[in-house]
mmCIF file of all heavy atoms in Angstrom:
data_model
loop_
_atom_site.group_PDB
_atom_site.id
_atom_site.type_symbol
_atom_site.label_atom_id
_atom_site.label_comp_id
_atom_site.label_asym_id
_atom_site.label_seq_id
_atom_site.Cartn_x
_atom_site.Cartn_y
_atom_site.Cartn_z
ATOM 1 N N ALA A 1 -50.201 -66.803 -52.393
ATOM 2 C CA ALA A 1 -50.710 -65.793 -51.462
ATOM 3 C C ALA A 1 -51.535 -66.431 -50.352
ATOM 4 O O ALA A 1 -51.423 -66.040 -49.188
ATOM 5 C CB ALA A 1 -51.543 -64.754 -52.204
ATOM 6 N N VAL A 2 -52.351 -67.419 -50.684
ATOM 7 C CA VAL A 2 -53.154 -68.106 -49.664
ATOM 8 C C VAL A 2 -52.242 -68.874 -48.717
ATOM 9 O O VAL A 2 -52.412 -68.818 -47.496
ATOM 10 C CB VAL A 2 -54.199 -69.042 -50.311
ATOM 11 C CG1 VAL A 2 -54.849 -69.946 -49.268
ATOM 12 C CG2 VAL A 2 -55.258 -68.221 -51.029
ATOM 13 N N ALA A 3 -51.264 -69.590 -49.250
ATOM 14 C CA ALA A 3 -50.327 -70.332 -48.405
ATOM 15 C C ALA A 3 -49.576 -69.386 -47.479
ATOM 16 O O ALA A 3 -49.412 -69.667 -46.287
ATOM 17 C CB ALA A 3 -49.350 -71.125 -49.269
ATOM 18 N N ASP A 4 -49.136 -68.256 -48.009
ATOM 19 C CA ASP A 4 -48.442 -67.252 -47.191
ATOM 20 C C ASP A 4 -49.360 -66.733 -46.086
ATOM 21 O O ASP A 4 -48.948 -66.600 -44.940
ATOM 22 C CB ASP A 4 -47.966 -66.108 -48.077
ATOM 23 C CG ASP A 4 -47.179 -65.075 -47.302
ATOM 24 O OD1 ASP A 4 -46.199 -65.473 -46.625
ATOM 25 O OD2 ASP A 4 -47.545 -63.891 -47.358
ATOM 26 N N ALA A 5 -50.615 -66.484 -46.424
ATOM 27 C CA ALA A 5 -51.573 -65.980 -45.438
ATOM 28 C C ALA A 5 -51.815 -67.004 -44.339
ATOM 29 O O ALA A 5 -51.926 -66.654 -43.158
ATOM 30 C CB ALA A 5 -52.893 -65.614 -46.111
ATOM 31 N N LEU A 6 -51.895 -68.270 -44.700
ATOM 32 C CA LEU A 6 -52.159 -69.307 -43.707
ATOM 33 C C LEU A 6 -50.982 -69.501 -42.752
ATOM 34 O O LEU A 6 -51.165 -69.986 -41.635
ATOM 35 C CB LEU A 6 -52.510 -70.623 -44.400
ATOM 36 C CG LEU A 6 -53.830 -70.597 -45.180
ATOM 37 C CD1 LEU A 6 -54.018 -71.907 -45.924
ATOM 38 C CD2 LEU A 6 -55.009 -70.316 -44.268
ATOM 39 N N LEU A 7 -49.788 -69.125 -43.191
ATOM 40 C CA LEU A 7 -48.606 -69.237 -42.329
ATOM 41 C C LEU A 7 -48.351 -67.972 -41.512
ATOM 42 O O LEU A 7 -47.527 -67.994 -40.600
ATOM 43 C CB LEU A 7 -47.378 -69.560 -43.182
ATOM 44 C CG LEU A 7 -47.405 -70.924 -43.864
ATOM 45 C CD1 LEU A 7 -46.233 -71.058 -44.822
ATOM 46 C CD2 LEU A 7 -47.392 -72.039 -42.828
ATOM 47 N N ASP A 8 -49.048 -66.908 -41.809
ATOM 48 C CA ASP A 8 -48.864 -65.624 -41.127
ATOM 49 C C ASP A 8 -49.546 -65.661 -39.751
ATOM 50 O O ASP A 8 -50.753 -65.880 -39.665
ATOM 51 C CB ASP A 8 -49.480 -64.525 -41.988
ATOM 52 C CG ASP A 8 -49.317 -63.138 -41.404
ATOM 53 O OD1 ASP A 8 -49.150 -63.004 -40.173
ATOM 54 O OD2 ASP A 8 -49.385 -62.181 -42.184
ATOM 55 N N PRO A 9 -48.785 -65.441 -38.668
ATOM 56 C CA PRO A 9 -49.379 -65.458 -37.330
ATOM 57 C C PRO A 9 -50.515 -64.438 -37.159
ATOM 58 O O PRO A 9 -51.492 -64.706 -36.449
ATOM 59 C CB PRO A 9 -48.212 -65.133 -36.396
ATOM 60 C CG PRO A 9 -46.987 -65.466 -37.170
ATOM 61 C CD PRO A 9 -47.331 -65.234 -38.613
ATOM 62 N N GLY A 10 -50.408 -63.293 -37.809
ATOM 63 C CA GLY A 10 -51.467 -62.293 -37.719
ATOM 64 C C GLY A 10 -52.764 -62.793 -38.329
ATOM 65 O O GLY A 10 -53.861 -62.555 -37.802
ATOM 66 N N MET A 11 -52.653 -63.502 -39.444
ATOM 67 C CA MET A 11 -53.842 -64.075 -40.074
ATOM 68 C C MET A 11 -54.399 -65.207 -39.212
ATOM 69 O O MET A 11 -55.613 -65.394 -39.122
ATOM 70 C CB MET A 11 -53.520 -64.578 -41.480
ATOM 71 C CG MET A 11 -53.181 -63.476 -42.465
ATOM 72 S SD MET A 11 -54.557 -62.378 -42.828
ATOM 73 C CE MET A 11 -55.459 -63.377 -43.990
ATOM 74 N N GLY A 12 -53.510 -65.932 -38.557
ATOM 75 C CA GLY A 12 -53.956 -66.980 -37.635
ATOM 76 C C GLY A 12 -54.795 -66.403 -36.507
ATOM 77 O O GLY A 12 -55.789 -66.998 -36.088
ATOM 78 N N GLU A 13 -54.404 -65.242 -36.037
ATOM 79 C CA GLU A 13 -55.172 -64.561 -34.991
ATOM 80 C C GLU A 13 -56.559 -64.172 -35.500
ATOM 81 O O GLU A 13 -57.554 -64.295 -34.782
ATOM 82 C CB GLU A 13 -54.417 -63.322 -34.504
ATOM 83 C CG GLU A 13 -55.090 -62.586 -33.383
ATOM 84 C CD GLU A 13 -55.151 -63.359 -32.082
ATOM 85 O OE1 GLU A 13 -54.292 -64.236 -31.845
ATOM 86 O OE2 GLU A 13 -56.084 -63.108 -31.293
ATOM 87 N N LEU A 14 -56.631 -63.727 -36.749
ATOM 88 C CA LEU A 14 -57.931 -63.383 -37.331
ATOM 89 C C LEU A 14 -58.834 -64.610 -37.430
ATOM 90 O O LEU A 14 -60.033 -64.528 -37.160
ATOM 91 C CB LEU A 14 -57.758 -62.749 -38.706
ATOM 92 C CG LEU A 14 -57.087 -61.384 -38.751
ATOM 93 C CD1 LEU A 14 -56.948 -60.906 -40.186
ATOM 94 C CD2 LEU A 14 -57.838 -60.374 -37.911
ATOM 95 N N VAL A 15 -58.259 -65.752 -37.805
ATOM 96 C CA VAL A 15 -59.040 -66.991 -37.852
ATOM 97 C C VAL A 15 -59.551 -67.322 -36.464
ATOM 98 O O VAL A 15 -60.712 -67.695 -36.275
ATOM 99 C CB VAL A 15 -58.208 -68.164 -38.423
ATOM 100 C CG1 VAL A 15 -58.927 -69.482 -38.234
ATOM 101 C CG2 VAL A 15 -57.899 -67.937 -39.881
ATOM 102 N N TRP A 16 -58.693 -67.200 -35.458
ATOM 103 C CA TRP A 16 -59.071 -67.484 -34.073
ATOM 104 C C TRP A 16 -60.259 -66.609 -33.656
ATOM 105 O O TRP A 16 -61.253 -67.101 -33.129
ATOM 106 C CB TRP A 16 -57.874 -67.259 -33.160
ATOM 107 C CG TRP A 16 -58.184 -67.313 -31.695
ATOM 108 C CD1 TRP A 16 -58.216 -66.262 -30.839
ATOM 109 C CD2 TRP A 16 -58.488 -68.465 -30.923
ATOM 110 N NE1 TRP A 16 -58.538 -66.684 -29.583
ATOM 111 C CE2 TRP A 16 -58.711 -68.037 -29.604
ATOM 112 C CE3 TRP A 16 -58.615 -69.809 -31.212
ATOM 113 C CZ2 TRP A 16 -59.043 -68.918 -28.575
ATOM 114 C CZ3 TRP A 16 -58.944 -70.690 -30.192
ATOM 115 C CH2 TRP A 16 -59.156 -70.244 -28.893
ATOM 116 N N VAL A 17 -60.173 -65.336 -33.922
ATOM 117 C CA VAL A 17 -61.253 -64.411 -33.549
ATOM 118 C C VAL A 17 -62.521 -64.709 -34.345
ATOM 119 O O VAL A 17 -63.615 -64.821 -33.780
ATOM 120 C CB VAL A 17 -60.808 -62.943 -33.745
ATOM 121 C CG1 VAL A 17 -61.974 -61.985 -33.580
ATOM 122 C CG2 VAL A 17 -59.683 -62.598 -32.777
ATOM 123 N N ASP A 18 -62.386 -64.851 -35.658
ATOM 124 C CA ASP A 18 -63.548 -65.083 -36.521
ATOM 125 C C ASP A 18 -64.237 -66.415 -36.245
ATOM 126 O O ASP A 18 -65.428 -66.565 -36.490
ATOM 127 C CB ASP A 18 -63.159 -65.034 -37.994
ATOM 128 C CG ASP A 18 -62.965 -63.619 -38.515
ATOM 129 O OD1 ASP A 18 -63.232 -62.660 -37.764
ATOM 130 O OD2 ASP A 18 -62.544 -63.486 -39.678
ATOM 131 N N SER A 19 -63.489 -67.396 -35.735
ATOM 132 C CA SER A 19 -64.081 -68.715 -35.490
ATOM 133 C C SER A 19 -64.651 -68.844 -34.086
ATOM 134 O O SER A 19 -65.054 -69.913 -33.671
ATOM 135 C CB SER A 19 -63.060 -69.819 -35.738
ATOM 136 O OG SER A 19 -62.032 -69.764 -34.766
ATOM 137 N N GLY A 20 -64.694 -67.759 -33.344
ATOM 138 C CA GLY A 20 -65.333 -67.781 -32.039
ATOM 139 C C GLY A 20 -64.387 -67.736 -30.855
ATOM 140 O O GLY A 20 -64.840 -67.781 -29.714
ATOM 141 N N ALA A 21 -63.100 -67.673 -31.095
ATOM 142 C CA ALA A 21 -62.092 -67.547 -30.036
ATOM 143 C C ALA A 21 -62.359 -68.494 -28.867
ATOM 144 O O ALA A 21 -62.506 -68.091 -27.727
ATOM 145 C CB ALA A 21 -62.014 -66.104 -29.550
ATOM 146 N N GLY A 22 -62.427 -69.779 -29.160
ATOM 147 C CA GLY A 22 -62.624 -70.769 -28.106
ATOM 148 C C GLY A 22 -64.036 -71.341 -28.095
ATOM 149 O O GLY A 22 -64.288 -72.362 -27.463
ATOM 150 N N ARG A 23 -64.945 -70.682 -28.765
ATOM 151 C CA ARG A 23 -66.315 -71.196 -28.926
ATOM 152 C C ARG A 23 -66.536 -71.379 -30.429
ATOM 153 O O ARG A 23 -67.133 -70.522 -31.084
ATOM 154 C CB ARG A 23 -67.334 -70.220 -28.347
ATOM 155 C CG ARG A 23 -67.267 -70.183 -26.830
ATOM 156 C CD ARG A 23 -68.355 -69.316 -26.272
ATOM 157 N NE ARG A 23 -67.696 -68.094 -25.817
ATOM 158 C CZ ARG A 23 -68.225 -66.894 -25.862
ATOM 159 N NH1 ARG A 23 -69.420 -66.718 -26.341
ATOM 160 N NH2 ARG A 23 -67.564 -65.867 -25.408
ATOM 161 N N PRO A 24 -66.008 -72.477 -30.981
ATOM 162 C CA PRO A 24 -65.953 -72.646 -32.437
ATOM 163 C C PRO A 24 -67.304 -72.532 -33.151
ATOM 164 O O PRO A 24 -68.314 -73.015 -32.687
ATOM 165 C CB PRO A 24 -65.405 -74.057 -32.610
ATOM 166 C CG PRO A 24 -64.764 -74.395 -31.321
ATOM 167 C CD PRO A 24 -65.492 -73.618 -30.274
ATOM 168 N N HIS A 25 -67.242 -71.855 -34.277
ATOM 169 C CA HIS A 25 -68.346 -71.818 -35.229
ATOM 170 C C HIS A 25 -67.763 -71.605 -36.621
ATOM 171 O O HIS A 25 -66.588 -71.311 -36.771
ATOM 172 C CB HIS A 25 -69.392 -70.751 -34.865
ATOM 173 C CG HIS A 25 -68.877 -69.345 -34.880
ATOM 174 N ND1 HIS A 25 -68.333 -68.753 -33.772
ATOM 175 C CD2 HIS A 25 -68.816 -68.428 -35.863
ATOM 176 C CE1 HIS A 25 -67.965 -67.508 -34.077
ATOM 177 N NE2 HIS A 25 -68.250 -67.300 -35.340
ATOM 178 N N VAL A 26 -68.570 -71.761 -37.621
ATOM 179 C CA VAL A 26 -68.119 -71.658 -39.011
ATOM 180 C C VAL A 26 -67.653 -70.235 -39.305
ATOM 181 O O VAL A 26 -68.293 -69.266 -38.895
ATOM 182 C CB VAL A 26 -69.268 -72.042 -39.964
ATOM 183 C CG1 VAL A 26 -68.857 -71.873 -41.418
ATOM 184 C CG2 VAL A 26 -69.719 -73.463 -39.698
ATOM 185 N N LEU A 27 -66.539 -70.140 -40.024
ATOM 186 C CA LEU A 27 -66.040 -68.826 -40.429
ATOM 187 C C LEU A 27 -67.033 -68.146 -41.364
ATOM 188 O O LEU A 27 -67.554 -68.775 -42.290
ATOM 189 C CB LEU A 27 -64.706 -68.951 -41.165
ATOM 190 C CG LEU A 27 -63.476 -69.259 -40.344
ATOM 191 C CD1 LEU A 27 -62.280 -69.458 -41.262
ATOM 192 C CD2 LEU A 27 -63.194 -68.179 -39.349
ATOM 193 N N SER A 28 -67.266 -66.892 -41.140
ATOM 194 C CA SER A 28 -68.145 -66.112 -42.008
ATOM 195 C C SER A 28 -67.335 -65.550 -43.164
ATOM 196 O O SER A 28 -66.200 -65.118 -42.978
ATOM 197 C CB SER A 28 -68.759 -64.967 -41.211
ATOM 198 O OG SER A 28 -69.359 -64.031 -42.069
ATOM 199 N N VAL A 29 -67.939 -65.520 -44.341
ATOM 200 C CA VAL A 29 -67.246 -64.915 -45.475
ATOM 201 C C VAL A 29 -67.137 -63.408 -45.302
ATOM 202 O O VAL A 29 -66.399 -62.751 -46.037
ATOM 203 C CB VAL A 29 -67.914 -65.258 -46.828
ATOM 204 C CG1 VAL A 29 -67.803 -66.728 -47.115
ATOM 205 C CG2 VAL A 29 -69.343 -64.797 -46.874
ATOM 206 N N ASP A 30 -67.863 -62.858 -44.337
ATOM 207 C CA ASP A 30 -67.784 -61.424 -44.048
ATOM 208 C C ASP A 30 -66.808 -61.118 -42.922
ATOM 209 O O ASP A 30 -66.646 -59.968 -42.543
ATOM 210 C CB ASP A 30 -69.162 -60.876 -43.665
ATOM 211 C CG ASP A 30 -70.108 -60.870 -44.852
ATOM 212 O OD1 ASP A 30 -69.644 -60.598 -45.969
ATOM 213 O OD2 ASP A 30 -71.300 -61.139 -44.649
ATOM 214 N N GLY A 31 -66.164 -62.152 -42.376
ATOM 215 C CA GLY A 31 -65.239 -61.956 -41.266
ATOM 216 C C GLY A 31 -63.939 -61.300 -41.692
ATOM 217 O O GLY A 31 -63.637 -61.167 -42.883
ATOM 218 N N LEU A 32 -63.167 -60.895 -40.710
ATOM 219 C CA LEU A 32 -61.892 -60.227 -40.987
ATOM 220 C C LEU A 32 -60.927 -61.110 -41.773
ATOM 221 O O LEU A 32 -60.255 -60.644 -42.682
ATOM 222 C CB LEU A 32 -61.236 -59.788 -39.679
ATOM 223 C CG LEU A 32 -61.855 -58.591 -38.984
ATOM 224 C CD1 LEU A 32 -61.198 -58.365 -37.628
ATOM 225 C CD2 LEU A 32 -61.714 -57.359 -39.848
ATOM 226 N N PHE A 33 -60.851 -62.390 -41.410
ATOM 227 C CA PHE A 33 -59.918 -63.275 -42.105
ATOM 228 C C PHE A 33 -60.227 -63.344 -43.596
ATOM 229 O O PHE A 33 -59.345 -63.173 -44.432
ATOM 230 C CB PHE A 33 -59.929 -64.679 -41.503
ATOM 231 C CG PHE A 33 -59.097 -65.647 -42.297
ATOM 232 C CD1 PHE A 33 -57.716 -65.620 -42.203
ATOM 233 C CD2 PHE A 33 -59.690 -66.567 -43.147
ATOM 234 C CE1 PHE A 33 -56.935 -66.491 -42.953
ATOM 235 C CE2 PHE A 33 -58.917 -67.444 -43.893
ATOM 236 C CZ PHE A 33 -57.541 -67.407 -43.789
ATOM 237 N N CYS A 34 -61.473 -63.599 -43.937
ATOM 238 C CA CYS A 34 -61.836 -63.730 -45.359
ATOM 239 C C CYS A 34 -61.650 -62.419 -46.111
ATOM 240 O O CYS A 34 -61.208 -62.420 -47.260
ATOM 241 C CB CYS A 34 -63.266 -64.240 -45.489
ATOM 242 S SG CYS A 34 -63.429 -65.963 -44.966
ATOM 243 N N ARG A 35 -61.963 -61.304 -45.461
ATOM 244 C CA ARG A 35 -61.756 -60.010 -46.124
ATOM 245 C C ARG A 35 -60.279 -59.753 -46.368
ATOM 246 O O ARG A 35 -59.867 -59.338 -47.452
ATOM 247 C CB ARG A 35 -62.368 -58.883 -45.299
ATOM 248 C CG ARG A 35 -63.879 -58.811 -45.507
ATOM 249 C CD ARG A 35 -64.454 -57.594 -44.868
ATOM 250 N NE ARG A 35 -64.816 -57.978 -43.503
ATOM 251 C CZ ARG A 35 -64.875 -57.174 -42.467
ATOM 252 N NH1 ARG A 35 -64.583 -55.909 -42.597
ATOM 253 N NH2 ARG A 35 -65.222 -57.611 -41.288
ATOM 254 N N ARG A 36 -59.441 -60.009 -45.355
ATOM 255 C CA ARG A 36 -57.991 -59.789 -45.513
ATOM 256 C C ARG A 36 -57.390 -60.754 -46.533
ATOM 257 O O ARG A 36 -56.500 -60.389 -47.290
ATOM 258 C CB ARG A 36 -57.272 -59.944 -44.178
ATOM 259 C CG ARG A 36 -57.635 -58.895 -43.182
ATOM 260 C CD ARG A 36 -56.667 -57.716 -43.220
ATOM 261 N NE ARG A 36 -57.163 -56.629 -42.417
ATOM 262 C CZ ARG A 36 -57.042 -56.532 -41.100
ATOM 263 N NH1 ARG A 36 -56.431 -57.474 -40.424
ATOM 264 N NH2 ARG A 36 -57.544 -55.503 -40.462
ATOM 265 N N LEU A 37 -57.890 -61.994 -46.530
ATOM 266 C CA LEU A 37 -57.400 -62.962 -47.506
ATOM 267 C C LEU A 37 -57.709 -62.480 -48.914
ATOM 268 O O LEU A 37 -56.854 -62.536 -49.802
ATOM 269 C CB LEU A 37 -58.026 -64.333 -47.256
ATOM 270 C CG LEU A 37 -57.545 -65.473 -48.135
ATOM 271 C CD1 LEU A 37 -56.043 -65.662 -47.993
ATOM 272 C CD2 LEU A 37 -58.294 -66.739 -47.803
ATOM 273 N N GLY A 38 -58.905 -61.969 -49.134
ATOM 274 C CA GLY A 38 -59.267 -61.408 -50.433
ATOM 275 C C GLY A 38 -58.356 -60.263 -50.826
ATOM 276 O O GLY A 38 -57.942 -60.145 -51.983
ATOM 277 N N GLU A 39 -58.016 -59.415 -49.857
ATOM 278 C CA GLU A 39 -57.102 -58.306 -50.128
ATOM 279 C C GLU A 39 -55.721 -58.818 -50.514
ATOM 280 O O GLU A 39 -55.086 -58.292 -51.435
ATOM 281 C CB GLU A 39 -56.982 -57.406 -48.903
ATOM 282 C CG GLU A 39 -58.235 -56.622 -48.575
ATOM 283 C CD GLU A 39 -58.165 -55.957 -47.205
ATOM 284 O OE1 GLU A 39 -57.100 -56.005 -46.549
ATOM 285 O OE2 GLU A 39 -59.197 -55.412 -46.789
ATOM 286 N N ARG A 40 -55.259 -59.846 -49.804
ATOM 287 C CA ARG A 40 -53.914 -60.364 -50.055
ATOM 288 C C ARG A 40 -53.785 -61.015 -51.421
ATOM 289 O O ARG A 40 -52.724 -60.972 -52.036
ATOM 290 C CB ARG A 40 -53.502 -61.357 -48.968
ATOM 291 C CG ARG A 40 -53.153 -60.652 -47.681
ATOM 292 C CD ARG A 40 -52.784 -61.617 -46.619
ATOM 293 N NE ARG A 40 -51.378 -61.943 -46.689
ATOM 294 C CZ ARG A 40 -50.644 -62.237 -45.639
ATOM 295 N NH1 ARG A 40 -51.177 -62.240 -44.437
ATOM 296 N NH2 ARG A 40 -49.381 -62.536 -45.767
#
């Protein structure tokens, strides 16, 4: 499930947004990517 999520373009977009969208910072465990990953 994690491998599938990492290959999903939609999840990639969530990582991009959660990581600062061009202004990098550490992903928050409360961000959309981590929440969706938990759901998946």
Side-chain angles (χ1 to χ4, degrees):
V2 169
D4 183 54
L6 294 175
L7 294 173
D8 182 336
M11 293 294 281
E13 183 67 26
L14 293 178
V15 170
W16 171 252
V17 171
D18 283 354
S19 68
R23 289 185 254 146
H25 63 270
V26 177
L27 286 175
S28 167
V29 294
D30 291 323
L32 286 174
F33 173 76
C34 290
R35 281 188 270 153
R36 294 267 170 81
L37 184 59
E39 291 169 6
R40 285 179 87 148

